[in-house]
Every structure is written in structure tokens, then in C-alpha cells.
Amino acid sequence: MSIRIDRIVTRGGDAGQTSLGDGTRVPKSSDRIEAMGTVDELNAQLGILCCYMAQNTRITALVDEVRQIQSCLFDPGADLCLPDPERSPSLTSEASTWLEVRLEDMRQHQQDLRSFVLPGGSLVAAQAHLVRTVARRAERRVAVLEHAPAEALRFLNRLSDYFFVLARHANNDGETDILWSPGRWHQQKI
């Protein structure tokens, strides 16, 4: 597929409307545009994660995997931009299945969870947790749409799981996770 972008500034959205892929004009405040924007934000957060991952020798090998996920995110973007329930979805079940396999491969080496995990531990883990939360928000935004693409929902759901496991992988497979300590506020003064 060849993509050609002739102009960046179109002025078409100056009055608070934008076009979907089929030319339909919709308010920029619509649920569909909100969903598309959140998927786009998720992809941007992945770009930051890749930068951090490239600086961590333990996890550098996974940068290409995350870049593949970034490319995959353009598929639900296309499905959201062309909301035709009769149209074949761009994203297929193979992408979600691949995520399941990859997260299980990482999870096998991780310590069992003993508590809830707080975001942090390492810069890569903290960013992976942020990505996880944006993936959850993207999933919620897509779920409210009429004719929400089912495979996009499944993929976004798996993404949040994948990035939780990736965060633990970045924290030495859970050894350096920061665990929630219930009632800590009452146990000591901060």
C-alpha cells in the first residue's frame, strides 16, 4: 500500500469539524474522534517507551516487537476512521493471538504476584505502565462506539496485559517491582 500525504495544513478542521476516511464530516468532540485520538496517543506513548527501551540492554531486543505493535495500531485507526459495519476489519485475530503468545513467553520467567504492582521500579517499567493505562482508556473509548470493531477491542485489551507483563520484565521479571503496601499511610508518616 502506498501512502501519499500532499499537505499537512488543510484548514478543514478550523471550525471544530474533521473528516472521517469516507469524507463524512463529524465534530472533533465526537466519540469516534475521541477514540481515534486515544489510539493515536497510545501509539505516541509507545514511541517514548521504545526510546527508553533502546537505552536498557536487558530489554533492547524487544524494541522491534513494540515497533510492530505501533504498526498494528494503525489498523484499528483505519477501522475507526472508516466506520462501515460491512467492511472487513483491518486488524485480524492473529495480532491478538501473537500478543498472547508473547506475553506468556515473558510471564513464564516472572515471579508470582504477591500484591498489586505500583507503576515504577525502572524508567522502562514506569513508561510501560503508562502505556498500559492509555491502552485501557483507548479500549474504553472504542467500546462505546456504535459498530465498535470487535478485533480492535480484543487487541487493545491484550495490549494492556502485554504492557503489564513487559513492565514486570523490565523490573528484572518482577524482582524489583514496587508492591502496594495496604494501609501504609497509617503505618508510617510520609
Side-chain angles (χ1 to χ4, degrees), residues 108-190:
Q108 287 179 39
H109 306 287
Q110 296 181 355
Q111 294 184 353
D112 291 337
L113 288 168
R114 302 178 315 277
S115 180
F116 290 104
V117 176
L118 300 178
S122 69
L123 195 54
V124 170
Q127 181 65 26
H129 278 293
L130 181 58
V131 166
R132 174 186 59 78
T133 65
V134 177
R136 284 282 186 219
R137 181 162 35 91
E139 180 184 9
R140 291 189 307 269
R141 297 287 190 250
V142 171
V144 301
L145 299 177
E146 183 179 357
H147 308 299
E151 199 51 50
L153 284 170
R154 184 173 168 217
F155 184 74
L156 290 167
N157 187 284
R158 293 305 177 282
L159 270 185
S160 59
D161 297 336
Y162 174 90
F163 286 108
F164 177 76
V165 172
L166 179 67
R168 296 197 74 223
H169 179 65
N171 281 342
N172 299 309
D173 286 322
E175 289 179 26
T176 56
D177 279 342
I178 300 171
L179 301 179
W180 173 52
S181 178
R184 185 175 182 143
W185 179 259
H186 302 291
Q187 294 171 3
Q188 69 187 95
K189 294 180 182 176
I190 297 179

Side-chain angles (χ1 to χ4, degrees), residues 24-178:
T24 305
R25 299 290 290 170
V26 296
K28 288 187 177 186
S29 60
S30 75
D31 288 342
R32 184 161 302 278
I33 299 304
E34 184 63 35
M36 290 167 52
T38 306
V39 170
D40 189 32
E41 178 187 354
L42 172 60
N43 211 332
Q45 290 288 351
L46 288 176
I48 296 169
L49 177 62
C50 284
C51 292
Y52 292 147
M53 290 172 67
Q55 299 170 5
N56 181 323
T57 55
R58 172 170 163 58
I59 210 154
T60 300
L62 294 176
V63 170
D64 287 340
E65 194 166 291
V66 175
R67 291 278 185 228
Q68 184 174 348
I69 292 168
Q70 283 189 284
S71 288
C72 283
L73 280 173
F74 271 79
D75 291 328
D79 293 341
L80 293 170
C81 189
L82 294 165
D84 178 1
E86 302 299 319
R87 184 177 166 273
S88 295
S90 301
L91 193 65
T92 64
S93 62
E94 286 81 17
S96 297
T97 301
W98 174 79
L99 279 176
E100 290 173 13
V101 168
R102 290 302 305 131
L103 76 88
E104 278 304 314
D105 286 347
M106 280 188 285
R107 197 193 61 72
Q108 287 179 39
H109 306 287
Q110 296 181 355
Q111 294 184 353
D112 291 337
L113 288 168
R114 302 178 315 277
S115 180
F116 290 104
V117 176
L118 300 178
S122 69
L123 195 54
V124 170
Q127 181 65 26
H129 278 293
L130 181 58
V131 166
R132 174 186 59 78
T133 65
V134 177
R136 284 282 186 219
R137 181 162 35 91
E139 180 184 9
R140 291 189 307 269
R141 297 287 190 250
V142 171
V144 301
L145 299 177
E146 183 179 357
H147 308 299
E151 199 51 50
L153 284 170
R154 184 173 168 217
F155 184 74
L156 290 167
N157 187 284
R158 293 305 177 282
L159 270 185
S160 59
D161 297 336
Y162 174 90
F163 286 108
F164 177 76
V165 172
L166 179 67
R168 296 197 74 223
H169 179 65
N171 281 342
N172 299 309
D173 286 322
E175 289 179 26
T176 56
D177 279 342
I178 300 171

